[in-house]
Amino acid sequence: MALKEFDLPKTDFEWQLNSQHPLIGDEFTNMLKLYQRVQETSEALKEKWTQKNSENKLMRRKHLEIINENAKYVASHKKTVMEIEALLSETQNCKKKSIEVKALIQQQKDELAMKKEMISAANKANKASLKELNKAADVFKDRLGLEIRKIQGEQLQFIFRSISHKDPELAYTFTLKINDNGDYEVTSCDPPLECMPLLEQKVRETNNFSAFLANIRKAFLQL
């Protein structure tokens, strides 16, 4: 490509060189023009490089800012996730405890209902037993000289007379109740009978109350 010549002021040296050596002078002039163009191009490139470098620095700074912001966001997001997981775990524990408490309450309700049924059944059995004893009172009174009285605490007092030949009206007594297990239990005896525990055990095994009363009367007669 042909170089474009610039109209540069010629120095005395160039005039002298051109006048004495025309070919060399032209070559030298062209070299000066080329050098000037290289200088101008170099300055332009330097300016562009400086501008580009500044832009690159700005881009790197923005890139670092974006990275830092992303890192902060990730850390914040991670913290939020951990807090949510902790809340979920706590919620699950609360649900589990709630289920356990409900199960315990239901178990206690069932046990209480069962105890109420057992108490009700025991009370019915006790009342039935006392009713049977009261029905038999009249029969025993005539045949065995026996009187039955209901006293405090759902107990029955059995009073035998016509035991002593010297004093037929002298009372021989014992007190009986139905305990929590539904068994007969003698709570007092006057006068005391050594065989009472044995008789008490026997009536629990056989449930033959008539024989129990007859045996007690015999024991009183033997005193």
Side-chain angles (χ1 to χ4, degrees):
M1 171 185 275
L3 295 176
K4 182 179 180 181
E5 295 186 358
F6 294 88
D7 294 330
L8 297 175
K10 296 182 179 180
T11 64
D12 293 337
F13 175 76
E14 290 180 274
W15 284 110
Q16 186 179 2
L17 184 62
N18 286 332
S19 60
Q20 296 177 0
H21 305 282
L23 295 176
I24 297 175
D26 292 340
E27 185 68 23
F28 180 76
T29 300
N30 290 335
M31 288 179 63
L32 289 177
K33 292 178 179 179
L34 178 60
Y35 175 78
Q36 185 179 11
R37 290 187 63 184
V38 170
Q39 285 292 104
E40 291 175 353
T41 304
S42 177
E43 290 295 329
L45 290 174
K46 183 178 180 181
E47 183 179 355
K48 288 183 179 181
W49 181 86
T50 302
Q51 182 180 0
K52 189 66 175 179
N53 188 39
S54 298
E55 292 175 355
N56 289 338
K57 288 182 179 180
L58 181 61
M59 289 296 293
R60 284 197 296 270
R61 186 165 59 251
K62 290 184 177 180
H63 182 66
L64 289 175
E65 290 176 357
I66 293 173
I67 291 175
N68 291 334
E69 289 296 327
N70 288 339
K72 291 179 181 178
Y73 174 78
V74 170
S76 176
H77 180 70
K78 185 177 181 180
K79 182 180 179 181
T80 302
V81 170
M82 292 177 65
E83 291 175 352
I84 292 174
E85 289 178 349
L87 288 174
L88 290 175
S89 178
E90 184 177 354
T91 301
Q92 291 296 329
N93 291 334
C94 289
K95 288 182 179 179
K96 184 178 179 181
K97 289 181 180 179
S98 178
I99 293 173
E100 292 175 353
V101 170
K102 288 181 179 179
L104 180 60
I105 292 174
Q106 186 61 44
Q107 181 181 354
Q108 291 177 347
K109 285 183 178 180
D110 294 342
E111 291 178 355
L112 181 60
M114 185 179 297
K115 287 181 180 178
K116 286 182 178 180
E117 291 180 0
M118 292 175 63
I119 292 173
S120 177
N123 289 336
K124 289 181 181 179
N126 292 343
K127 290 180 180 180
S129 297
L130 292 174
K131 186 176 181 180
E132 291 297 325
L133 292 177
N134 288 328
K135 287 182 180 180
D138 293 336
V139 176
F140 292 138
K141 183 176 182 180
D142 294 337
R143 296 183 181 180
L144 302 177
L146 175 65
E147 180 183 355
I148 302 175
R149 296 176 182 175
K150 184 177 181 181
I151 61 176
Q152 187 177 4
E154 296 294 330
Q155 297 186 87
L156 293 177
Q157 184 182 46
F158 295 82
I159 304 170
F160 291 93
R161 302 185 189 279
S162 300
I163 298 293
S164 174
H165 295 291
K166 296 180 180 181
D167 186 3
E169 293 300 318
L170 181 63
Y172 291 71
T173 66
F174 77 93
T175 305
L176 184 75
K177 74 173 184 177
I178 306 297
N179 61 25
D180 294 337
N181 295 326
D183 297 326
Y184 295 111
E185 181 179 341
V186 176
T187 57
S188 66
C189 183
D190 184 27
L193 294 175
E194 293 182 1
C195 62
M196 181 60 79
L198 181 62
L199 296 176
E200 186 179 6
Q201 181 63 32
K202 190 172 182 179
V203 73
R204 289 178 179 177
E205 295 174 354
T206 64
N207 204 31
N208 189 339
F209 196 75
S210 297
F212 173 66
L213 293 177
N215 289 330
I216 290 179
R217 180 176 177 81
K218 289 180 182 179
F220 280 143
L221 287 171
Q222 292 174 1
L223 291 177

